[in-house]
């Protein structure tokens, strides 16, 4: 995708004497279960992922500082050459806070260039999902983000800029507050678990490799930007982009306590309920999975897909998040969205499948517009 240089987009500040632009009215009547995904990109250890570019898989490398329980250095997926950030105050608040700030700075200019596709007078919100524990650190990161936006031609069209510590469910994260919001929203989602604190945290300890020769997912990180339009209540599916409907969350017994057959059957049933055979939009042609490398996941998924959608090849048509960045923490859902639309045709559909939790499975679907077959005088039968 060809994009202008950010230096061509820098905006000269208007004289103070010029009148302030009229504020764009905010809306509140958005559909809480539907979003239109327009574009996206992500920076991972494998490289930059865009709508028409998917890099090769990345091989984890030995960390310079992260040690496993056996005292040996662990393999991790770290993004190389992040912007240098001279932020002593933020550094004192923790190494993770500083790394999150650098991840935000690494993606923001490319993310703003996604706005080129919007109508000239379109206003937009920015929502940053980043698991920043300290309120002071979050404020500093947001201040730096606002300053970058202020230096571009897009600053006058910025509506709300807010921070969220969560990032799992896009509909929840991007829901407008009581005062409403703009139709377009730029969702920035960043996280890193390449640190000792996250390695042993209750959230990640069962996922991440703990020893130099252990099993599990390698610690990773990602910086993601997704351009989304909020749909009004009752609005039909747009003729461009992909429709992200409400996800389905299924609670079940722990995977480690179930036999392979039971796990496969449970997933087959979930597929059937989520995407019925009579689904009018057709069948999914792409499958994105968050943690296929965890014990038993490949067998569980492979058997279920063969039974439900035999035409889908989990290798050729499947995309595994960990191939590009290991485990990227809270940025995984946004990253799955970008991986789904990367190199996907406008009229295709994708399933996003979250299997990392022991006692939960979660599904989302990206549906392209239904393309009606054109009538012609030729008989192709």
């Amino acid at each position: 995708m060809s994009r202008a240089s950010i230096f061509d987009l820098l905006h000269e500040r208007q004289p103070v004497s010029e009148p302030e632009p009229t504020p764009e009215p905010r809306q509140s009547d958005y559909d809480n279960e539907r979003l239109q995904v327009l574009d996206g990109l992500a920076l991972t250890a494998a490289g930059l992922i865009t709508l028409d570019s998917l890099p090769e898989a990345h091989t984890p490398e030995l960390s310079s500082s992260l040690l496993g329980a056996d005292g040996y250095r662990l393999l991790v997926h770290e993004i190389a050459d992040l912007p240098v950030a001279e932020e002593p105050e933020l550094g004192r608040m923790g190494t993770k806070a500083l790394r999150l700030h650098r991840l935000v700075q690494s993606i923001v200019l490319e993310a703003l260039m996604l706005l080129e596709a919007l109508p000239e007078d379109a206003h937009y919100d920015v929502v940053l999902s980043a698991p920043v524990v300290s309120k002071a650190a979050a404020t500093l990161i947001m201040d730096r983000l606002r300053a970058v936006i202020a230096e571009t031609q897009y600053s006058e069209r910025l509506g709300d800029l807010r921070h969220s510590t969560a990032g799992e469910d896009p509909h929840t994260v991007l829901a407008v507050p009581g005062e409403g919001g703009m139709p377009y929203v730029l969702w920035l989602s960043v996280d890193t678990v390449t640190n000792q604190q996250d390695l042993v945290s209750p959230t990640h300890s069962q996922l991440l490799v703990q020893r130099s020769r252990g099993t599990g997912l390698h610690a990773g990180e990602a910086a993601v930007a997704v351009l989304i339009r909020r749909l009004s209540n009752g609005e039909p599916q747009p003729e461009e982009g992909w429709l992200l409907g409400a996800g389905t969350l299924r609670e079940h017994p722990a995977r480690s306590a179930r036999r392979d057959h039971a796990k496969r059957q449970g997933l087959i049933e979930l597929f059937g309920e989520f995407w019925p055979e009579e689904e009018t939009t057709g069948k999914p042609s792409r499958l994105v999975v968050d943690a296929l490398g965890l014990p038993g996941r490949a067998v569980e998924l492979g058997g279920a897909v063969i039974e439900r959608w035999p035409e889908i090849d989990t290798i050729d048509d499947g995309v595994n998040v960990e191939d590009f960045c290991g485990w990227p923490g809270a940025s995984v859902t946004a990253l799955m969205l970008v991986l789904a639309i990367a190199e996907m045709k406008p009229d295709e559909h994708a399933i996003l499948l979250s299997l990392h939790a022991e006692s939960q499975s979660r599904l989302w679907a990206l549906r392209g517009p239904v393309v009606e077959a054109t009538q012609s005088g030729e008989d192709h039968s």
Side-chain angles (χ1 to χ4, degrees), residues 131-151:
V132 186
V133 177
S134 165
K135 185 176 181 180
T139 299
L140 197 153
I141 291 172
M142 293 297 287
D143 287 345
R144 300 297 184 266
L145 174 58
R146 187 183 295 276
V148 172
I149 298 174
E151 292 298 323

Side-chain angles (χ1 to χ4, degrees), residues 131-206:
V132 186
V133 177
S134 165
K135 185 176 181 180
T139 299
L140 197 153
I141 291 172
M142 293 297 287
D143 287 345
R144 300 297 184 266
L145 174 58
R146 187 183 295 276
V148 172
I149 298 174
E151 292 298 323
T152 72
Q153 67 180 34
Y154 303 109
S155 60
E156 292 181 355
R157 292 189 279 153
L158 175 63
D160 188 25
L161 173 64
R162 60 184 172 89
H163 169 249
S164 171
T165 55
E168 187 172 34
D169 187 344
H171 300 88
T172 301
V173 175
L174 303 179
V176 297
E179 61 271 19
M182 301 302 171
Y184 294 98
V185 56
L186 186 61
W187 182 23
L188 306 179
S189 182
V190 303
D191 197 10
T192 177
V193 296
T194 58
N195 58 78
Q196 196 69 47
Q197 183 178 352
D198 275 328
L199 186 69
V200 298
S201 70
T203 303
H204 303 303
S205 60
Q206 301 302 313

Side-chain angles (χ1 to χ4, degrees), residues 250-371:
R250 174 63 54 83
E251 304 277 354
H252 50 68
R255 287 184 159 88
S256 58
R258 303 168 75 193
R259 294 183 180 275
D260 288 342
H261 176 73
K263 290 186 290 185
R264 286 196 300 269
Q265 285 302 120
L267 198 52
I268 290 169
E269 292 173 9
L270 181 56
F271 285 159
E273 294 174 15
F274 183 72
W275 198 293
E277 285 284 1
E278 61 272 16
E279 176 65 59
T280 58
T281 57
K283 296 181 179 180
S285 58
R286 196 170 181 84
L287 183 66
V288 182
V289 189
D290 64 345
L292 204 56
L294 289 174
R297 269 41 167 208
V299 173
E300 176 184 356
L301 177 64
V305 171
I306 290 174
E307 177 72 24
R308 184 65 178 81
W309 295 301
E311 64 276 9
I312 295 181
D313 188 313
T314 55
I315 296 177
D316 293 339
D317 305 316
V319 182
N320 185 13
V321 169
E322 62 182 297
D323 287 343
F324 301 91
C325 57
W327 179 249
S331 63
V332 65
T333 303
L335 179 57
M336 290 173 74
L337 287 174
V338 174
L339 286 171
I341 65 176
E343 301 184 342
M344 189 164 75
K345 295 177 181 178
D347 59 340
E348 289 184 328
H349 319 298
I351 290 286
L352 281 61
L353 179 58
S354 176
L355 296 178
H356 73 271
E358 265 292 294
S359 301
Q360 289 182 349
S361 298
R362 193 162 197 163
L363 284 169
W364 287 274
L366 277 175
R367 289 177 168 87
V370 178
V371 179

Side-chain angles (χ1 to χ4, degrees), residues 18-33:
E18 288 199 3
E20 290 290 327
T22 304
E24 183 76 4
R26 299 171 182 269
Q27 294 179 229
S28 299
D29 61 334
Y30 293 115
D31 190 331
N32 293 326
E33 295 188 343

Side-chain angles (χ1 to χ4, degrees), residues 62-83:
L62 285 174
S63 170
S64 60
S65 59
L66 199 59
L67 302 179
D70 55 6
Y72 290 94
R73 289 191 295 166
L74 289 175
L75 292 167
V76 299
H77 294 265
E78 280 191 320
I79 299 173
D81 303 322
L82 285 181

Side-chain angles (χ1 to χ4, degrees), residues 96-112:
K96 176 158 182 170
L98 182 58
R99 188 71 177 180
L100 290 172
H101 169 61
R102 295 179 67 190
L103 287 169
V104 173
Q105 294 297 312
S106 74
I107 201 73
V108 60
L109 296 182
E110 286 280 356
L112 289 173

